[in-house]
Short mmCIF file of all heavy atoms in Angstrom, two decimals:
data_model
loop_
_atom_site.label_atom_id
_atom_site.label_comp_id
_atom_site.label_asym_id
_atom_site.label_seq_id
_atom_site.Cartn_x
_atom_site.Cartn_y
_atom_site.Cartn_z
N ALA A 1 93.27 50.05 37.37
CA ALA A 1 92.32 49.48 36.40
C ALA A 1 90.91 49.85 36.87
O ALA A 1 90.71 50.32 37.99
CB ALA A 1 92.48 47.97 36.32
N ARG A 2 89.93 49.60 35.99
CA ARG A 2 88.55 49.91 36.35
C ARG A 2 87.64 48.76 35.98
O ARG A 2 87.79 48.16 34.90
CB ARG A 2 88.08 51.19 35.66
CG ARG A 2 86.77 51.71 36.24
CD ARG A 2 86.40 53.07 35.70
NE ARG A 2 85.22 53.58 36.42
CZ ARG A 2 84.59 54.69 36.08
NH1 ARG A 2 85.02 55.43 35.07
NH2 ARG A 2 83.52 55.08 36.76
N LEU A 3 86.72 48.43 36.88
CA LEU A 3 85.75 47.39 36.57
C LEU A 3 84.90 47.83 35.37
O LEU A 3 84.48 48.98 35.28
CB LEU A 3 84.84 47.14 37.77
CG LEU A 3 85.49 46.65 39.06
CD1 LEU A 3 84.42 46.37 40.12
CD2 LEU A 3 86.32 45.40 38.83
N TRP A 4 84.65 46.88 34.48
CA TRP A 4 83.91 47.17 33.25
C TRP A 4 82.90 46.05 33.02
O TRP A 4 83.27 44.88 32.96
CB TRP A 4 84.88 47.29 32.08
CG TRP A 4 84.24 47.60 30.76
CD1 TRP A 4 83.23 48.49 30.52
CD2 TRP A 4 84.57 47.03 29.50
NE1 TRP A 4 82.93 48.52 29.18
CE2 TRP A 4 83.74 47.63 28.53
CE3 TRP A 4 85.51 46.08 29.09
CZ2 TRP A 4 83.81 47.29 27.17
CZ3 TRP A 4 85.58 45.76 27.74
CH2 TRP A 4 84.75 46.35 26.80
N PHE A 5 81.63 46.45 32.90
CA PHE A 5 80.56 45.48 32.73
C PHE A 5 80.05 45.44 31.29
O PHE A 5 79.00 44.88 31.00
CB PHE A 5 79.41 45.81 33.68
CG PHE A 5 79.83 45.80 35.13
CD1 PHE A 5 80.21 46.97 35.76
CD2 PHE A 5 79.88 44.61 35.85
CE1 PHE A 5 80.63 46.97 37.08
CE2 PHE A 5 80.30 44.60 37.18
CZ PHE A 5 80.67 45.78 37.79
N GLY A 6 80.83 46.00 30.37
CA GLY A 6 80.45 46.05 28.97
C GLY A 6 79.77 47.36 28.62
O GLY A 6 79.12 47.99 29.46
N GLY A 7 79.93 47.78 27.36
CA GLY A 7 79.30 49.03 26.92
C GLY A 7 79.81 50.20 27.72
O GLY A 7 81.02 50.38 27.90
N ASP A 8 78.87 51.01 28.24
CA ASP A 8 79.27 52.19 29.03
C ASP A 8 79.01 51.97 30.51
O ASP A 8 78.84 52.93 31.26
CB ASP A 8 78.52 53.43 28.53
CG ASP A 8 77.00 53.28 28.62
OD1 ASP A 8 76.54 52.17 28.97
OD2 ASP A 8 76.29 54.26 28.35
N LYS A 9 79.00 50.72 30.95
CA LYS A 9 78.76 50.40 32.36
C LYS A 9 80.10 50.13 33.06
O LYS A 9 80.77 49.15 32.74
CB LYS A 9 77.84 49.19 32.48
CG LYS A 9 76.45 49.42 31.90
CD LYS A 9 75.58 48.17 32.06
CE LYS A 9 74.19 48.41 31.48
NZ LYS A 9 73.34 47.19 31.60
N PHE A 10 80.43 51.02 33.99
CA PHE A 10 81.70 50.92 34.69
C PHE A 10 81.47 50.83 36.20
O PHE A 10 80.42 51.23 36.71
CB PHE A 10 82.59 52.14 34.39
CG PHE A 10 82.95 52.26 32.94
CD1 PHE A 10 82.18 53.02 32.08
CD2 PHE A 10 84.06 51.59 32.44
CE1 PHE A 10 82.51 53.12 30.73
CE2 PHE A 10 84.40 51.69 31.10
CZ PHE A 10 83.62 52.46 30.25
N GLY A 11 82.45 50.29 36.91
CA GLY A 11 82.38 50.18 38.36
C GLY A 11 83.57 50.82 39.03
O GLY A 11 84.14 51.79 38.52
N ASP A 12 83.98 50.26 40.15
CA ASP A 12 85.06 50.82 40.95
C ASP A 12 86.41 50.68 40.25
O ASP A 12 86.56 49.96 39.26
CB ASP A 12 85.13 50.11 42.30
CG ASP A 12 83.92 50.43 43.17
OD1 ASP A 12 83.29 51.47 42.94
OD2 ASP A 12 83.61 49.62 44.07
N PHE A 13 87.40 51.37 40.83
CA PHE A 13 88.78 51.26 40.36
C PHE A 13 89.46 50.13 41.14
O PHE A 13 89.44 50.12 42.37
CB PHE A 13 89.52 52.57 40.57
CG PHE A 13 88.93 53.71 39.78
CD1 PHE A 13 88.02 54.57 40.36
CD2 PHE A 13 89.29 53.91 38.46
CE1 PHE A 13 87.46 55.62 39.64
CE2 PHE A 13 88.74 54.96 37.72
CZ PHE A 13 87.83 55.81 38.32
N VAL A 14 90.02 49.17 40.41
CA VAL A 14 90.64 47.99 41.04
C VAL A 14 91.92 47.64 40.29
O VAL A 14 91.85 47.16 39.16
CB VAL A 14 89.68 46.78 41.01
CG1 VAL A 14 90.33 45.59 41.70
CG2 VAL A 14 88.36 47.10 41.67
N PRO A 15 93.09 47.84 40.86
CA PRO A 15 93.35 48.53 42.12
C PRO A 15 93.12 50.03 41.97
O PRO A 15 93.19 50.56 40.86
CB PRO A 15 94.82 48.23 42.39
CG PRO A 15 95.41 48.08 41.03
CD PRO A 15 94.35 47.42 40.19
N HIS A 16 92.85 50.70 43.08
CA HIS A 16 92.63 52.14 43.05
C HIS A 16 93.86 52.83 43.61
O HIS A 16 94.02 52.98 44.82
CB HIS A 16 91.39 52.52 43.86
CG HIS A 16 90.98 53.94 43.66
ND1 HIS A 16 89.92 54.52 44.32
CD2 HIS A 16 91.47 54.91 42.84
CE1 HIS A 16 89.79 55.78 43.93
NE2 HIS A 16 90.73 56.04 43.04
N ILE A 17 94.76 53.21 42.71
CA ILE A 17 95.98 53.91 43.10
C ILE A 17 95.71 55.40 42.98
O ILE A 17 95.42 55.90 41.90
CB ILE A 17 97.16 53.48 42.20
CG1 ILE A 17 97.42 51.97 42.36
CG2 ILE A 17 98.41 54.29 42.53
CD1 ILE A 17 98.36 51.40 41.33
N LYS A 18 95.79 56.11 44.09
CA LYS A 18 95.34 57.50 44.12
C LYS A 18 96.41 58.50 43.71
O LYS A 18 96.10 59.61 43.27
CB LYS A 18 94.80 57.84 45.51
CG LYS A 18 93.56 57.01 45.86
CD LYS A 18 93.02 57.39 47.23
CE LYS A 18 91.78 56.54 47.55
NZ LYS A 18 91.23 56.87 48.89
N LYS A 19 97.67 58.14 43.87
CA LYS A 19 98.73 59.05 43.45
C LYS A 19 99.94 58.24 43.01
O LYS A 19 100.14 57.11 43.45
CB LYS A 19 99.11 60.01 44.58
CG LYS A 19 99.73 59.33 45.80
CD LYS A 19 100.14 60.37 46.85
CE LYS A 19 100.79 59.71 48.06
NZ LYS A 19 101.21 60.69 49.07
N ARG A 20 100.71 58.84 42.15
CA ARG A 20 101.92 58.17 41.66
C ARG A 20 102.95 58.11 42.78
O ARG A 20 103.21 59.10 43.46
CB ARG A 20 102.50 58.91 40.46
CG ARG A 20 103.68 58.17 39.83
CD ARG A 20 104.24 58.93 38.64
NE ARG A 20 105.40 58.25 38.08
CZ ARG A 20 105.42 57.63 36.92
NH1 ARG A 20 104.33 57.59 36.18
NH2 ARG A 20 106.51 57.05 36.48
N GLN A 21 103.52 56.93 42.97
CA GLN A 21 104.53 56.74 43.99
C GLN A 21 105.64 55.83 43.47
O GLN A 21 105.38 54.92 42.69
CB GLN A 21 103.94 56.07 45.24
CG GLN A 21 102.91 56.86 45.98
CD GLN A 21 102.48 56.14 47.24
OE1 GLN A 21 103.21 56.08 48.24
NE2 GLN A 21 101.28 55.58 47.22
N THR A 22 106.85 56.10 43.92
CA THR A 22 107.96 55.19 43.73
C THR A 22 108.45 54.80 45.12
O THR A 22 108.92 55.65 45.88
CB THR A 22 109.10 55.84 42.93
OG1 THR A 22 108.61 56.22 41.64
CG2 THR A 22 110.26 54.87 42.76
N LEU A 23 108.30 53.53 45.46
CA LEU A 23 108.66 53.05 46.79
C LEU A 23 109.99 52.31 46.73
O LEU A 23 110.17 51.41 45.91
CB LEU A 23 107.58 52.12 47.32
CG LEU A 23 106.18 52.73 47.42
CD1 LEU A 23 105.17 51.68 47.87
CD2 LEU A 23 106.17 53.92 48.37
N PRO A 24 110.94 52.68 47.58
CA PRO A 24 112.24 52.00 47.60
C PRO A 24 112.11 50.53 47.99
O PRO A 24 111.08 50.10 48.51
CB PRO A 24 113.04 52.78 48.65
CG PRO A 24 112.33 54.08 48.80
CD PRO A 24 110.89 53.79 48.55
N ALA A 25 113.15 49.77 47.74
CA ALA A 25 113.17 48.36 48.12
C ALA A 25 112.90 48.19 49.60
O ALA A 25 113.36 48.99 50.43
CB ALA A 25 114.52 47.74 47.76
N ALA A 26 112.14 47.14 49.95
CA ALA A 26 111.86 46.75 51.34
C ALA A 26 111.10 47.81 52.12
O ALA A 26 111.19 47.87 53.34
CB ALA A 26 113.16 46.38 52.07
N VAL A 27 110.32 48.65 51.43
CA VAL A 27 109.48 49.64 52.10
C VAL A 27 108.01 49.26 51.99
O VAL A 27 107.26 49.33 52.97
CB VAL A 27 109.72 51.05 51.52
CG1 VAL A 27 108.63 52.03 51.97
CG2 VAL A 27 111.09 51.56 51.94
N ALA A 28 107.56 48.85 50.80
CA ALA A 28 106.16 48.45 50.62
C ALA A 28 105.86 47.15 51.35
O ALA A 28 106.78 46.37 51.67
CB ALA A 28 105.86 48.29 49.12
N ASP A 29 104.59 46.90 51.62
CA ASP A 29 104.16 45.67 52.28
C ASP A 29 104.33 44.50 51.32
O ASP A 29 103.65 44.44 50.29
CB ASP A 29 102.70 45.81 52.70
CG ASP A 29 102.16 44.55 53.36
OD1 ASP A 29 102.92 43.60 53.57
OD2 ASP A 29 100.94 44.52 53.65
N PRO A 30 105.20 43.52 51.62
CA PRO A 30 105.39 42.39 50.69
C PRO A 30 104.15 41.54 50.51
O PRO A 30 104.04 40.81 49.53
CB PRO A 30 106.52 41.57 51.36
CG PRO A 30 107.19 42.52 52.29
CD PRO A 30 106.12 43.45 52.76
N LEU A 31 103.22 41.61 51.46
CA LEU A 31 101.98 40.84 51.34
C LEU A 31 100.85 41.66 50.74
O LEU A 31 99.69 41.29 50.82
CB LEU A 31 101.56 40.27 52.71
CG LEU A 31 102.50 39.19 53.26
CD1 LEU A 31 101.98 38.68 54.60
CD2 LEU A 31 102.68 38.05 52.28
#
């Protein structure tokens, strides 16, 4: 997603996912 302040004012990417990934069960950080 991207922060949006209305109109054409944008901010950072939140969350900023840089590449597509498929993570198997019990591999990603649960927290």
Side-chain angles (χ1 to χ4, degrees):
R2 192 172 187 187
L3 299 183
W4 181 42
F5 301 95
D8 59 354
K9 297 180 180 179
F10 298 93
D12 292 337
F13 298 95
V14 181
H16 191 182
I17 298 168
K18 296 181 180 180
K19 65 177 182 179
R20 186 180 177 109
Q21 295 184 74
T22 299
L23 302 176
V27 167
D29 178 5
L31 292 181

